[in-house]
Structures are given as structure tokens and as C-alpha cells.
Amino acid sequence: MDNVNVGDIILVRDYKDGNRSISGHSFVVISSEAGEVKGLEYDVICNVLSSFKGEEQRKRKLGYPGNFEISHKDSSVPGGNDKDGYIKAEQFYFFKLDKIDYSVIGKLDDEVLKKLLLFIADFISVKLIVDNL
């Protein structure tokens, strides 16, 4: 199992969001300090990282106040897709690492990580997703 740190980009092969099972998605680790939420233990907290599929989608996705725009230059992902994208900053995914199949595929730039964490700090309400615990 890979060592996971804040700012790492991980690929989670299969995960849950409510009743949906989703495969092969990237996440940014925003906390690697284990803890407990809603009575369940977790190892990391992450935000979903998605790529824009075109200019129309970019405009639509950035219309949501919780989406944080990033450039493909804001991270180091060997063999990555070189597409710009966004991070769903208002959605916190809690993962227990021994319950998911994942790998560390890259790292978010330190300055961009700081901006993301400040962006998150401005939210009054976030969605806590504990379906993977």
C-alpha cells in the first residue's frame, strides 16, 4: 500500500457515493490524519478531481461555487492527461485505505494546495461522504 500525504493525487479504482458504485476516479488528499466521523474510522479525507471535457462543460462546472479550477500545470502526474479541470472542494470523501484499491499517481503543486485549502476554509457547509468506510 502506498504512503499517502496531503496534496497527493490518488486514483481510486472503485468507490461508492450513496447507492452508486463508481470506478476509476482521481482524488486530491486534503487530510492524511486518521480520525473518526459519524462513529466511523477513516485514514484520509479527499476531494474529487475531474477534467474538463470542453469549454461548455468548463463554464457550467465553474458556475458551481464549490468547484475549484486547476490547470494541468498545477500538478505532477506522470503519464497524466494534460487536461485542465476542477476539484469539488465542498465534497469530503472519507476513505479507510485498507478498504479501497488505490494508488498514488501524482501530487498537487504546494502553492495550489494552499489556495485549495483556503478556498475550502471559506465554505460554511460541506457534504461528508462516508460510504467508503
Side-chain angles (χ1 to χ4, degrees):
M1 213 175 261
D2 296 323
N3 188 27
V4 178
N5 299 297
V6 173
D8 283 351
I9 298 172
I10 62 172
L11 175 65
V12 179
R13 285 169 187 78
D14 293 295
Y15 68 99
K16 294 177 182 168
D17 185 350
N19 294 330
R20 297 182 322 155
S21 291
I22 304 170
S23 62
H25 213 90
S26 301
F27 290 83
V28 175
V29 177
I30 59 169
S31 174
S32 60
E33 189 173 315
E36 189 176 296
V37 62
K38 297 185 179 187
L40 302 168
E41 293 182 4
Y42 66 87
D43 296 319
V44 296
I45 305 172
C46 301
N47 295 132
V48 172
L49 171 62
S50 293
S51 299
F52 295 125
K53 293 167 183 52
E55 188 57 30
E56 184 178 315
Q57 187 202 34
R58 179 185 172 278
K59 288 178 185 174
R60 189 175 71 250
K61 293 297 183 179
L62 293 180
Y64 294 99
N67 288 344
F68 179 83
E69 184 174 17
I70 63 166
S71 164
H72 68 280
K73 296 176 185 176
D74 292 337
S75 62
S76 172
V77 181
N81 66 15
D82 289 338
K83 292 183 179 180
D84 296 338
Y86 61 101
I87 297 168
K88 293 184 178 183
E90 84 291 0
Q91 297 179 3
F92 288 14
Y93 281 81
F94 293 81
F95 291 111
K96 189 83 173 132
L97 294 176
D98 61 358
K99 291 188 174 188
I100 60 171
D101 183 9
Y102 75 96
S103 57
V104 176
I105 60 169
K107 184 146 183 70
L108 198 61
D109 176 80
D110 287 340
E111 285 303 310
V112 175
L113 176 62
K114 288 178 189 174
K115 289 177 184 175
L116 171 64
L117 295 175
L118 288 171
F119 184 80
I120 290 170
D122 285 342
F123 280 101
I124 295 170
S125 174
V126 296
K127 180 179 179 184
L128 306 180
I129 302 163
V130 298
D131 304 313
N132 301 283
L133 301 176

